[in-house]
Amino acid sequence: MRGLNPRQIEAFRAVVLTGGVGMAAKLINVTQPAVSRMIRDLQQQVGLTLFERRGTGLVPTSEALSLYAEVERAFVGLDRISQMATELRTRRAGFLRIAALPALANGFLPRFAGRFLIERPKLDLVLSGLVSHAVVAAVAQGQCDLGFAEGSIEHAAVRLERMLPAPYMAVLPQDHRLARKTRLRPVDFEGESFISLGHSSVSRFRIDRVFADHGVRRVMRIETPLSEIACSLAGSGAGITLCDPFTATEYATRGIVVRPFEPRVDFEFAALYAAQRTPPPVAREFIDNFQAHIMTFLRQLARRAPSS
Amino acid sequence: MRGLNPRQIEAFRAVVLTGGVGMAAKLINVTQPAVSRMIRDLQQQVGLTLFERRGTGLVPTSEALSLYAEVERAFVGLDRISQMATELRTRRAGFLRIAALPALANGFLPRFAGRFLIERPKLDLVLSGLVSHAVVAAVAQGQCDLGFAEGSIEHAAVRLERMLPAPYMAVLPQDHRLARKTRLRPVDFEGESFISLGHSSVSRFRIDRVFADHGVRRVMRIETPLSEIACSLAGSGAGITLCDPFTATEYATRGIVVRPFEPRVDFEFAALYAAQRTPPPVAREFIDNFQAHIMTFLRQLARRAPSS
DNA sequence: GGATTTTATAACATTTTGTTATGAAGGAAG
DNA sequence: CTTCCTTCATAACAAAATGTTATAAAATCC
């Protein structure tokens, strides 16, 4: 036994996550004494007390929590290497790993990607949904080849390419009084129960500003970080919201009504790839095609009558 | 043989790095046949040709090079984790939550803690100022790892470690008639407007007792629970007080004069940590270093001429 | 062709990691 | 207070992984 061994780290992580040796054993598919011994060995090896007996269970020490944070940041398991080997074996003509923020990952992007793949039968795709800052991290760490994240997040290891901005749209319950209007303005929202996006969103700030500039008072009692939750809540009658058009059109058949909103507030996002690596040519192609697809989508949106 | 095993990956990496089985064996401190076998097993397991015989040596295929990139990330990750463990063991990393009574929290302790942190760049600190009984509660409830509170407050869930007692000092306005004396006694306080500490303080009781025993009558019309307020009031000319030396020296440049007081009345305080948990080693270290720091401080205080 | 260097393979030995069985500790219920 | 249950720790053994020495095969150079 020389350095830390990966199996020990897996066992350690499982105990922190589950709070017990027995549950951890289940998680990594071994028996409890195996985990018990690995934890003992690891504590010996690193020279730290990582867990304390509390009642009949184990509680991580503050050192364990610090170490665990580093494990989550830095641990690449053998599973990942094995997966990579599998991908190398099965990939012959191309491979693309994409991470995208939920607004795109929940329908719009997968549908586009599906069509992209149809024309490229030998291309393999991994597509994940992550919050924007996690997308940036995944690109920076080489865990994916291409990312799509909201805003203009700067990172030394990541290169940014702006995509076409898309206008926020009003999303209402189907039987709402405002559904009769073909276009909504700030004043229409006066006194309405408003479903807000999370505080950390750039767009949130922008939206709040528009209503403030128009002296409109909304009932502000619902907040969610995810646009699809906002649309679901609107569909349930809980309130009305402003939402990016990708998510809004995905939900248009689910009990909501979507209307253009004036003045225009933009949902801005970008394609990201690692600064120090040449992206696979197929990623370049994906970005270009996706940009063209968005342009087509936005044109149709602008031309369209109210969606019912 | 289930997933990839760590030693295979090490052997693989060594062969890529050295270009030969024999040199790789030397690098990972085993014999050549061990490496040869592990490479064979790995190629079988992942179903890839990773090396080709080129002359008498081995050359990695492009698949091997792709896999190697992922392997290198895993190795870097394990090194990081190992390093973190080392830093935790040597008490230079982790996090430490401290709650301290205001007399310490308002300058003396933060300045000490700042120096402590400079030598431990990976250590995170949360430092709060709370009244002593709130410090005890915070420690008992696990909201902080370490507390500093006045007196000898007993609590079942908290373990107490006395710190060096510090002598109360006389604090006067700069232009006070007693500023000419190098040392003050109870009788000097006769008829003076006295700024008292709060009723719940042990020290308050002790101080009042000293003056009673000497038959001294003070004008008792000002009271505050916080020693820094007492010093500020003294500085404003409102009266004179007895104060712990930590706060007194913090305020020494703010319109007050500080003088030793006889007989000695001690400001007693203790370090607290949860009885049922081993404190992080870094907390142990903090206590020991802080104790040494207080000793140095008190020595200099005793050696010093009247502070002006 | 022979000598040298390198890798591959075989047989056996040692170490590591897994399992089953059992003991110890803590907490809840009667 | 005793009993029962749950959980972790430890021991003994089994299986798998990893190590060694000895030998064979392949490639290159003189």
Side-chain angles (χ1 to χ4, degrees), chain B residues 2 31 81 91 124 151 187 195 217 271 288:
Chain B
R2 53 215 87 217
T31 56
I81 294 166
R91 296 181 298 264
D124 293 332
V187 70
I195 304 160
R217 292 247 221 51
D288 293 342

Side-chain angles (χ1 to χ4, degrees), chain A residues 102-122:
Chain A
L104 292 175
N106 283 309
F108 189 77
L109 182 56
R111 257 205 314 282
F112 166 76
R115 270 191 302 271
F116 190 78
L117 285 185
I118 285 166
E119 302 164 6
R120 296 161 184 81
K122 292 198 172 179

Side-chain angles (χ1 to χ4, degrees), chain A residues 2 46 54 63 80 89, chain B residues 7 46 70 89 277 281:
Chain A
R2 3 220 123 223
V46 300
R54 186 80 60 81
E63 284 95 339
R80 175 70 198 129
R89 194 173 64 243
Chain B
R7 211 54 178 143
V46 299
E70 197 72 16
R89 194 174 60 243
R277 298 203 283 136

